[in-house]
């Protein structure tokens, strides 16, 4: 009985004769697989069909002179798939040809199908016999294991009590020795703690970004001479900085935008705006051409400083130079920590909830 029938519509005329379907049969589909070729005209009655099947470019089966007999009203020719073909697995190319009673011939269609190996045809190792124990069997095994475990526990308990007595004497002796060692080491530990505290105080690390309007988004900047301001008019009074304070400026620099020049770095300056005098200059570490990195620069603010400014600077002054800059940060202390925005520009959870509720109240969504 044919249970798996792949339908193929055969085109008319002199166009392409390729089937668009790719049916899949299995090696166990013996006497159950077939093709149904549908023709839109009725001129195939009385023709003899020839079928050729190929695997990997090699002929594996030919069926000549298959009689179509009378075609039904849908002009369908049904061809049961020979069991011999189901010995193969993989892609199979099929070709259908017609020989007509008037002596003419026709190359009708090329179709492709796949044969997969059925699981039942696979060579599999038999599972070992499984013995399912009854409840009484399991109960007996558990009781036996419990008796054995109780004996082991009692034995271990006796051994432990014997050893504990020995350990108590050793611990009492070691305790006296340990207390004496701690007393000797305590002054050295206290000295180390004082040293670490001093280093922490000397480091003077502050994570607060004193700048506003900074971002982790890249700004593209072109330099036409030796340098280009990346921020200016940073007044000490606005930043609450005084002469003698140590501050650090940093920025992420993208020196991959063009390779016409050489290194880029931050140039940090302290100025007296009243006399237009440059009081102090510091240059940061250089970012090589073709790389992205953070340039940092530290300065101790001299007396008379009213404002600060920073340039992105390059050595070679000929022509223009384009680079990227982001994550600009000004902070107290000698060390540049990871970028974050000014605290006043960070939305708190409470602020976010208020903003979200306001948007929803206006008919929007977040």
């Amino acid at each position: 009985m044919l249970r798996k029938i792949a339908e193929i519509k055969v085109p008319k005329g002199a166009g392409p004769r390729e089937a668009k379907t790719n049916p899949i049969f299995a090696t166990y589909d013996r006497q159950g697989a077939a093709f149904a070729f549908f023709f839109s005209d009725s001129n195939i009655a009385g023709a003899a069909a020839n079928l050729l099947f190929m695997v990997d470019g090699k002929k594996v089966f030919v069926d000549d002179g298959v009689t179509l007999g009378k075609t039904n009203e849908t002009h369908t020719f049904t061809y049961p798939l020979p069991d011999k073909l189901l010995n193969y697995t993989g892609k199979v190319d099929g070709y259908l040809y017609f020989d007509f009673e008037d002596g003419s011939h026709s190359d009708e269609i090329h179709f492709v199908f796949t044969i997969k190996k059925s699981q039942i045809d696979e060579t599999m190792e038999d599972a070992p016999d499984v013995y399912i124990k009854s409840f009484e069997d399991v109960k007996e095994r558990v009781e036996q294991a419990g008796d054995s475990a109780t004996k082991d526990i009692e034995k271990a308990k006796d051994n432990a009590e014997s050893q504990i007595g020995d350990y108590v004497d050793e611990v009492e002796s070691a305790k006296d020795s340990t207390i004496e060692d701690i007393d000797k080491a305590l002054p050295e530990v206290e000295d180390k703690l004082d040293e670490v505290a001093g280093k922490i105080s000397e480091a003077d690390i502050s994570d607060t970004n004193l700048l506003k309007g900074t971002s982790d988004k890249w700004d593209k900047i072109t330099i036409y001479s030796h340098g280009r301001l990346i921020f200016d008019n940073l007044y000490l009074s606005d930043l609450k900085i005084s002469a003698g304070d140590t501050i650090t400026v940093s920025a992420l620099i993208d020196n991959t935008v063009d390779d016409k020049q050489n290194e880029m770095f931050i140039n940090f300056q302290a100025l007296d705006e009243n006399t237009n005098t440059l009081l102090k200059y510091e240059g940061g570490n250089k970012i090589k051409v073709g790389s992205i990195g953070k340039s940092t620069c530290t300065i101790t603010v001299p007396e008379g400083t009213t404002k600060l400014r920073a340039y992105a600077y390059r050595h070679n002054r000929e022509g223009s130079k384009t680079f990227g800059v982001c994550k600009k940060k000004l902070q107290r202390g000698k060390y540049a920590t990871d970028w974050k925005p000014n605290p006043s520009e960070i939305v708190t959870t409470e602020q976010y909830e208020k903003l979200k509720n306001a948007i929803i109240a206006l008919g929007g969504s977040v």
Side-chain angles (χ1 to χ4, degrees):
M1 179 172 134
L2 299 178
R3 297 182 58 85
K4 294 185 178 180
I5 301 177
E7 296 183 352
I8 295 179
K9 185 175 181 180
V10 182
K12 293 192 300 182
R17 293 279 176 164
E18 297 286 337
K20 297 181 179 180
T21 59
N22 185 357
I24 298 176
F25 298 107
T27 55
Y28 202 67
D29 291 337
R30 300 179 184 277
Q31 299 183 32
F35 284 98
F37 298 98
F38 171 76
F39 299 86
S40 58
D41 52 20
S42 58
N43 62 0
I44 62 170
N50 302 310
L51 291 108
L52 167 66
F53 297 95
M54 300 180 69
V55 175
D56 294 330
K58 297 179 181 179
K59 180 171 64 176
V60 295
F61 184 75
V62 177
D63 200 350
D64 291 331
V66 179
T67 303
L68 270 63
K70 294 182 179 180
T71 58
N72 58 23
E73 60 183 7
T74 61
H75 318 304
T76 302
F77 161 45
T78 301
Y79 177 76
L81 195 65
D83 288 348
K84 179 178 179 180
L85 276 176
L86 298 178
N87 293 327
Y88 298 93
T89 57
K91 173 186 170 184
V92 180
D93 288 280
Y95 300 87
L96 173 63
Y97 306 90
F98 279 162
D99 295 338
F100 294 97
E101 294 175 332
D102 62 0
S104 62
H105 307 276
S106 176
D107 184 339
E108 287 297 319
I109 194 166
H110 167 225
F111 54 100
V112 177
F113 60 99
T114 301
I115 301 175
K116 69 178 184 67
K117 194 165 188 177
S118 297
Q119 191 65 30
I120 198 170
D121 291 333
E122 295 281 0
T123 301
M124 293 179 289
E125 182 179 352
D126 291 336
D129 292 337
V130 178
Y131 171 60
I132 302 176
K133 300 179 177 62
S134 68
F135 174 76
E136 293 300 325
D137 291 333
V138 175
K139 179 181 175 183
E140 183 181 354
R141 291 288 184 93
V142 170
E143 290 174 349
Q144 291 175 355
D147 293 340
S148 176
T150 300
K151 293 177 182 178
D152 291 342
I153 291 171
E154 291 294 335
K155 183 178 179 181
K157 177 183 175 184
D158 294 339
N159 291 338
E161 289 175 346
S162 175
Q163 292 178 5
I164 286 172
D166 297 336
Y167 291 154
V168 167
D169 295 337
E170 293 179 12
V171 169
E172 289 296 332
S173 175
K175 182 176 72 173
D176 296 336
S177 175
T178 301
I179 292 174
E180 183 179 349
D181 291 341
I182 291 174
D183 289 339
K184 289 180 180 179
L186 193 57
E188 182 178 354
V189 172
E190 290 175 343
D191 290 342
K192 290 292 184 183
L193 289 174
D194 291 340
E195 181 181 344
V196 170
K199 288 184 179 295
I200 293 174
S201 175
E202 179 185 351
D204 188 20
I205 298 174
S206 173
D207 193 37
T208 301
N209 190 354
L210 302 178
L211 298 175
K212 292 184 179 181
T214 63
S215 170
D216 59 354
K217 308 300 181 186
W218 288 105
D219 293 328
K220 294 293 175 63
I221 298 176
T222 300
I223 299 176
Y224 296 99
S225 59
H226 60 283
R228 179 75 177 269
L229 277 168
I230 56 175
F231 40 78
D232 191 12
N233 295 329
L234 302 177
Y235 292 100
L236 270 61
S237 57
D238 295 335
L239 299 171
K240 296 181 172 54
I241 292 174
S242 305
D245 289 345
T246 299
I247 54 177
T248 297
V249 64
S250 62
L252 195 62
I253 292 179
D254 180 358
N255 202 8
T256 67
V257 180
D258 69 53
D259 57 0
K260 294 181 292 186
Q261 312 295 334
N262 48 15
E263 298 109 330
M264 298 288 302
F265 61 95
I266 287 182
N267 166 326
F268 202 24
Q269 302 174 359
L271 302 98
D272 180 355
E273 188 180 36
N274 299 320
T275 61
N276 198 27
T277 303
L278 177 63
L279 300 177
K280 195 170 187 179
Y281 157 88
E282 296 289 350
N285 59 295
K286 300 176 180 61
I287 308 303
K288 294 182 179 180
V289 175
S291 62
I292 299 174
K294 183 163 73 173
S295 181
T296 66
C297 186
T298 299
I299 192 170
T300 299
V301 180
E303 289 290 341
T305 302
T306 58
K307 74 172 185 177
L308 304 165
R309 67 185 177 191
Y311 281 89
Y313 195 85
R314 63 191 174 100
H315 281 148
N316 191 334
R317 304 184 183 188
E318 296 180 3
S320 63
K321 169 70 175 179
T322 301
F323 67 100
V325 63
C326 72
K327 294 188 176 181
K328 294 176 284 189
K329 189 173 185 180
L330 177 64
Q331 60 192 109
R332 296 178 181 274
K334 299 179 180 179
Y335 302 97
T337 57
D338 290 341
W339 175 85
K340 63 176 59 175
N342 186 286
S344 66
E345 298 173 324
I346 299 175
V347 178
T348 65
T349 303
E350 182 180 358
Q351 291 169 330
Y352 173 78
E353 288 299 325
K354 289 181 179 179
L355 179 62
K356 183 177 72 172
N357 292 336
I359 293 172
I360 293 173
L362 292 172
S365 61
V366 179

